[in-house]
Amino acid sequence: MKLNSDLEEIRSQFPILERVLPNGKKLIYLDNAATSQKPECVINAMSDFYSRYNSNVHRAVHSLSGEATEAFELARENVAKWFGLPDEGKVIFTSGTTHALNLCAFGWARVNLKPGDAIVLTEMEHHSNIVPWQMIAEEKNLELRWVDVNQETFELDFEDYKSKIIGAKLACIIHTSNVLGTRNPVEIMVEMAHNAGAKIILDCAQAAAHERLDMDSINADFLAVTSHKMCGPTGVGALLISSDVFEEMEPVEGGGDMILEVFKEYSTYQENEHKFEAGTPRIAEAIGWSAAIKWMETLDIEEMHRHTLKLAKNASDGLKRIPGITVYGDHSKEDVSGVVSFLHETLHAEDIARLLDSMGIAVRTGHHCAQPLMRRLGVKATNRASFYFYNTLKESEAFVNAIKMIVEKFA
Ligand SMILES: *Cc1c(COP(=O)(O)O)cnc(C)c1O
């Protein structure tokens, strides 16, 4: 599918893109790194579940439950296929990336790391890939080693990673930055972690939205992914696991569905993914995510990403020509996502966002859940416009013009 000729067709799949805001302005949605919009097929798949076969899974023999169970487990298979999991790989459904990272911390690291062991993080991490490790480090007396970010290239200091991974037991690395757009060289970082005898988990919340991740070739032990940034519903994501580390994990939550047998004295657990999915799982959400994946399969993801990058680069180049604006990120490279973080030297980031909102343009403002990175950049907050494949060049231009106008008028 060629994107440019079909952009209107793709946009027509997203009812919200027609939205007119209460102030009468047509929506220009540039907050895709926070959550993407959902195509009609995803909304319909969830509505279809609730109107035709809503039922709990794995529990009853009645037909409805059979249909729901089948759709839910098919969703798991579709997720596994989309992310290129090897046959022995596992998909544990979680509420999103944050939950997946916590599951790795409390289900794997808590069990397998010993006092004095070291975990490697980077200054580029999202709080979701920081706080769980701080909690585990405190509980188990572990060392956290931080890899620097270079403020000029907006890349990880690779030499720093090289030296800090030596002797570490686990690396927790952001695949693609939600602030800078930088895509880290994760394939090499995985190899280096394994050569050093460390396991590695990648935070793929952003990456999964922009590229077809293949767990088999990335070869990481764990990937944390989320549905809601890749056209699927909120409330579901997954911890994707290569086989051998799965055997080393212990459940974090106890309850129904994760057990084999329960006695007064003790309980025995399921052997498969269900062991980590206590209680009624995210049935409608998993079905919705699966519909998003099935839809994305019909699109040319690489072509769509090139389109997204073109819009981001147009915005970044345009912003750089406006006096007083600094852009955090290098959009001349290919290895970036659709985010453009920027700041004006005197105008307050929040004021800029509010003025943009009055023109119908939605962007993010704040620390983007990455305060250590903000400190490295020497700022408290930035404005962030984040593009996705359904955005248009016209929207990117309208955004730059809006900033130009705001700066001329208010700075
Ligand atoms: C959004 C995001 C998260 C959190 O993901 P949720 O699925 O919302 O929990 C974590 N890391 C990065 C890089 C993100 O962009």
Side-chain angles (χ1 to χ4, degrees):
M1 186 181 267
K2 273 280 156 279
L3 184 75
N4 281 336
S5 52
D6 293 335
L7 186 53
E8 278 315 309
E9 156 65 16
I10 284 179
R11 283 179 68 82
S12 73
Q13 310 282 316
F14 292 81
I16 208 169
L17 298 180
E18 289 303 310
R19 177 75 207 275
V20 175
L21 299 168
N23 62 11
K25 301 287 183 208
K26 177 125 192 273
L27 170 70
I28 296 182
Y29 186 74
L30 303 181
D31 195 15
N32 294 287
T35 200
S36 75
Q37 297 302 346
K38 325 302 174 198
E40 213 147 34
C41 61
V42 169
I43 301 165
N44 290 345
M46 296 178 79
S47 151
D48 190 47
F49 166 72
Y50 282 124
S51 25
R52 289 189 46 249
Y53 61 104
N54 170 54
S55 179
N56 212 328
V57 294
H58 306 144
R59 287 190 188 161
V61 292
H62 61 78
S63 325
L64 229 49
S65 176
E67 281 179 43
T69 304
E70 206 171 294
F72 178 66
E73 291 303 331
L74 179 65
R76 198 190 304 274
E77 265 174 51
N78 286 338
V79 169
K81 250 186 261 158
W82 175 258
F83 288 107
L85 250 69
D87 287 344
E88 334 73 75
K90 297 278 192 290
V91 175
I92 301 176
F93 281 125
T94 62
S95 70
T97 310
T98 306
H99 184 195
L101 293 163
N102 274 275
L103 180 57
C104 180
F106 292 92
W108 184 84
R110 178 189 258 165
V111 184
N112 293 283
L113 299 188
K114 293 184 300 298
D117 282 349
I119 296 179
V120 174
L121 308 172
T122 82
E123 289 181 336
M124 216 185 265
E125 302 311 315
H126 187 282
H127 296 165
S128 292
N129 204 20
I130 296 175
V131 185
W133 306 115
Q134 289 175 332
M135 289 171 164
I136 281 293
E138 173 152 0
E139 181 184 315
K140 304 271 306 185
N141 212 358
L142 308 172
E143 177 197 353
L144 296 183
R145 297 180 185 167
W146 293 86
V147 175
D148 292 345
V149 171
N150 183 314
Q151 296 143 272
E152 264 129 55
T153 61
F154 307 105
E155 289 174 348
L156 290 179
D157 179 339
F158 209 67
E159 290 306 310
D160 197 29
Y161 176 72
K162 235 178 182 168
S163 72
K164 289 195 171 134
I165 195 68
I166 304 293
K169 287 292 191 300
L170 176 68
C172 312
I173 309 290
I174 190 166
H175 182 301
T176 298
S177 168
N178 59 315
V179 176
L180 307 168
T182 307
R183 181 200 191 279
N184 291 314
V186 291
E187 290 81 1
I188 311 167
M189 296 177 82
V190 168
E191 198 181 319
M192 286 167 65
H194 286 163
N195 287 342
K199 305 288 187 206
I200 182 163
I201 178 164
L202 301 177
D203 171 354
C204 297
Q206 295 294 325
H210 293 285
E211 61 182 283
R212 185 83 189 255
L213 297 171
D214 182 58
M215 192 161 185
D216 204 23
S217 61
I218 295 172
N219 202 25
D221 302 280
F222 306 90
L223 298 188
V225 294
T226 200
S227 145
H228 74 97
K229 292 177 183 172
M230 52 177 290
C231 298
T234 55
V236 68
L239 182 61
L240 309 174
I241 308 181
S242 69
S243 64
D244 45 343
V245 275
F246 181 79
E247 306 304 327
E248 299 173 2
M249 289 177 69
E250 294 290 340
V252 179
E253 290 161 351
D257 244 27
M258 55 79 72
I259 50 86
L260 280 178
E261 284 192 286
V262 176
F263 304 94
K264 281 186 183 163
E265 298 77 14
Y266 68 98
S267 302
T268 57
Y269 306 143
Q270 300 252 23
E271 302 263 302
N272 56 12
E273 290 97 332
H274 301 152
K275 178 173 174 180
F276 299 94
E277 296 172 0
T280 299
R282 306 147 214 287
I283 309 167
E285 289 77 8
I287 289 169
W289 191 14
S290 175
I293 284 172
K294 282 286 161 202
W295 184 68
M296 301 261 272
E297 266 172 7
T298 68
L299 307 171
D300 183 339
I301 301 288
E302 281 178 29
E303 172 70 20
M304 286 158 62
H305 188 51
R306 275 193 293 276
H307 168 76
T308 305
L309 290 190
K310 194 172 91 188
L311 308 188
K313 185 161 187 316
N314 175 74
S316 172
D317 290 349
L319 289 178
K320 282 182 191 158
R321 287 194 287 268
I322 301 172
I325 296 267
T326 305
V327 174
Y328 300 90
D330 184 353
H331 299 85
S332 66
K333 296 193 192 112
E334 299 243 311
D335 277 3
V336 285
S337 74
V339 307
V340 181
S341 285
F342 65 98
L343 207 54
H344 186 267
E345 59 187 6
T346 54
L347 291 175
H348 203 283
E350 228 166 88
D351 293 336
I352 289 186
R354 231 170 262 131
L355 288 162
L356 285 173
D357 182 56
S358 74
M359 301 178 221
I361 303 174
V363 301
R364 195 72 156 189
T365 296
H367 54 60
H368 315 296
C369 299
Q371 287 187 320
L373 178 59
M374 292 288 123
R375 286 191 199 101
R376 167 59 67 188
L377 299 174
V379 299
K380 280 212 168 64
T382 67
N383 287 117
R384 180 187 72 185
S386 50
F387 295 88
Y388 208 20
F389 59 80
Y390 43 64
N391 287 122
T392 64
L393 190 58
K394 243 167 120 179
E395 288 179 321
S396 176
E397 285 164 354
F399 159 72
V400 174
N401 286 334
I403 297 290
K404 216 180 279 173
M405 218 178 73
I406 290 170
V407 169
E408 275 165 16
K409 205 161 158 194
F410 298 99

